[in-house]
Amino acid sequence: MFKMLLGLCMLLLGIFVMRYGLRKALWHQLHRALEKMTKTPLRGLILGTIAAALFQSSTTVCLITIGLVGADYMSFRQALGVILGANIGTCSTVQLINFSLPADYILPLILIAMLLSIFRKFRYVGLALTGLFSMFAGLDLLVKGISGLSNLNEIAGYLIMAKSQPLYGIWGGIFVTMIFQSSSAATALLMLLADMGLVDITTAAYVIYGNNIGSCASSVVFSAAAPIAARQVALSHIVLNVVGVLVFFPMTPLLVIAARFFTGDFSGQVATIHTLFNLLSSLLVLPLSRQFTNLIFFLMPNKTKY
């Protein structure tokens, strides 16, 4: 149990330290880019994808976008493309977690990254690398900790129940993501459980749906006291993921088949479903961005024109 908790803490700490280093290194550049390069939804999607991949966080990009809209630096229509792209870019974290790093290399790499952060010029890059390698160390400890748990049968029993009752899986994904404040961390844990045979790929898909809905929590909290345009951005993030779940829920078997086509690795299939869900959800909305915008304005009216 101790190894599992320590591994979980290292995983979460690694993700947040990595994001902090990347945010400090690229914060001002992202602000300028978001203000100047979002004239069309497609440009916004491309920029949002790149930004979320660089920051290893869709939440960070969404919060910055909400702040810019609230400060009148960006309209809601401009922000929509960024939100669509951020949902795609966040998949890079899960794909990165799926990458295997030999355990013997992890500690030396953490020490090198920490030494790099001592130098002022490379401080934030060093922090980002320290977080990255700490994330791998946490995953290694999590694997060992979960393997040693005595109540694995109870965990497996709940996950089997989630297969017959998909809403259990979705609610579980929402709950875990809100606790971790990171859909990437929640999906990483799911990948480990899948790799150990404790969860089947169909159940994993249901949990991933919940992970994506749960990832909207930070946007809602951040925008609560913001101007209505900023709240519309947060609402669009929620609607995007909820509609995505409603569309793909009956198509889950097809997502599973597609994931198996791309890779035979079980945890890799979980990462692939996560990527396909976010990628397809955003690409399906992109050509309907005008109609999607009108839907958000209908759900949350605003007299100001954009």
Side-chain angles (χ1 to χ4, degrees), residues 93-102 132-133 136 139 191 267:
T93 307
V94 175
Q95 294 296 338
L96 190 61
I97 290 170
N98 193 46
F99 174 75
S100 179
L101 187 66
L132 173 64
F133 299 134
F136 283 115
L139 285 170
M191 289 163 65
S267 62

Side-chain angles (χ1 to χ4, degrees), residues 150-211:
S150 58
N151 58 339
L152 284 180
N153 290 334
E154 286 83 349
I155 296 174
Y158 174 82
L159 293 170
I160 290 171
M161 191 187 305
K163 182 179 181 180
S164 59
Q165 297 289 337
L167 284 179
Y168 285 178
I170 294 173
W171 280 115
I174 294 172
F175 180 70
V176 173
T177 301
M178 291 179 70
I179 289 176
F180 288 174
Q181 285 296 293
S182 170
S183 62
S184 300
T187 305
L189 181 59
L190 180 65
M191 289 163 65
L192 292 180
L193 294 173
D195 218 23
M196 296 174 67
L198 295 175
V199 56
D200 65 277
I201 194 66
T202 302
T203 304
Y206 297 143
V207 177
I208 287 169
Y209 297 156
N211 290 349

Side-chain angles (χ1 to χ4, degrees), residues 126-143:
L127 278 175
L129 290 173
T130 301
L132 173 64
F133 299 134
S134 296
M135 185 177 73
F136 283 115
L139 285 170
D140 186 56
L141 281 172
L142 257 180
V143 171

Side-chain angles (χ1 to χ4, degrees), residues 52 75 101 104 133 155 184-185 196 203 228 233 239 241-242 254-255 270 298:
S75 71
L101 187 66
D104 294 340
F133 299 134
I155 296 174
S184 300
M196 296 174 67
T203 304
I228 191 167
V233 176
V239 172
N241 285 298
V242 171
L254 294 179
L255 276 180
V270 175
F298 172 76

